[in-house]
């Protein structure tokens, strides 16, 4: 493993590290396959349950949904699944996604989801894969090591 002294990284070093990690994730067949599998699963589930979801929303007079994502660390990736399904339903005219707010990891996921150029979750998934790969190589306290990389990710999106 490569040990990084990320707590002393400047913005430029964090950007360089981010560039390298983005290339690693893009070239990693497991990361690419997992992303495709997750997006396909969301689409399959929407196709299977669209009519029931539409009926339930109509029965309750719901057409717009605001989202509140809790602070939950790595569980915040689940917010990406939620968002992917809701955006697919929105594209099909079943509902409209309104405001998105979050705390801690939920706020991070909201930023990453909203930054996606296709209004989906690829940016979110890729960013968490980058972070997971990077965190596996570090040795210092999380709060110290996280700030430079997440800062670079947020500036990039």
């Amino acid at each position: 493993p490569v040990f990084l002294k990320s707590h002393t990284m400047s913005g430029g070093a964090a950007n360089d590290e981010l560039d390298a990690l983005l290339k690693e994730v893009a070239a990693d067949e497991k990361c690419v396959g997992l992303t495709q599998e997750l997006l396909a699963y969301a689409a399959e589930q929407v196709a299977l349950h669209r009519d029931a979801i539409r009926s339930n929303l109509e029965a309750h007079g719901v057409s717009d949904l605001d989202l509140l994502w809790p602070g939950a660390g790595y569980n915040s990736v689940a917010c990406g699944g939620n968002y992917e399904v809701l955006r697919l339903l929105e594209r099909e005219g079943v509902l409209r996604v309104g405001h998105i707010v979050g705390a801690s990891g939920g706020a991070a996921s909201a930023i990453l989801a909203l930054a996606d150029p296709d209004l989906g979750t690829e940016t979110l998934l890729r960013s968490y894969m980058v972070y997971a790969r990077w965190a596996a190589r570090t040795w210092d306290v999380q709060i110290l090591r996280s700030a430079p990389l997440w800062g670079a990710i947020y500036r990039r999106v």
Side-chain angles (χ1 to χ4, degrees):
V2 176
F3 294 101
L4 305 171
K5 293 183 180 176
S6 55
H7 60 284
T8 60
M9 268 198 298
S10 68
N15 285 329
D16 293 344
E17 184 70 13
L18 176 57
D19 289 338
L21 287 163
L22 284 167
K23 287 178 186 173
E24 283 181 34
V25 167
D28 186 315
E29 291 180 18
K30 184 175 179 181
C31 290
V32 171
L34 184 57
T35 300
Q36 292 170 346
E37 183 180 320
L38 291 168
L39 296 174
Y41 180 77
E44 290 167 10
Q45 293 305 304
V46 166
L48 285 171
H49 303 287
R50 177 187 314 102
D51 294 338
I53 293 168
R54 183 187 313 269
S55 294
N56 189 26
L57 291 171
E58 288 173 357
H60 291 90
V62 176
S63 59
D64 295 2
L65 290 176
D66 292 328
L67 309 176
L68 172 60
W69 291 347
Y74 275 115
N75 289 332
S76 295
V77 177
C79 296
N82 171 277
Y83 187 71
E84 184 69 24
V85 167
L86 294 174
R87 283 298 188 190
L88 290 170
L89 290 166
E90 183 175 51
R91 287 181 195 125
E92 296 181 15
V94 174
L95 57 83
R96 189 182 81 74
V97 175
H99 299 96
I100 303 174
V101 296
S104 189
S109 291
I111 291 167
L112 297 171
L114 292 169
D116 193 88
D118 297 320
L119 297 177
T121 56
E122 287 190 55
T123 299
L124 181 147
L125 291 170
R126 183 175 48 253
S127 297
Y128 277 111
M129 287 178 186
V130 162
Y131 178 73
R133 184 171 291 238
W134 180 74
R137 299 189 229 191
T138 61
W139 55 267
D140 52 344
V141 180
Q142 181 181 359
I143 193 69
L144 295 175
R145 71 176 186 223
S146 296
L149 182 69
W150 279 115
I153 289 171
Y154 296 139
R155 282 188 298 278
R156 186 70 51 90
V157 298

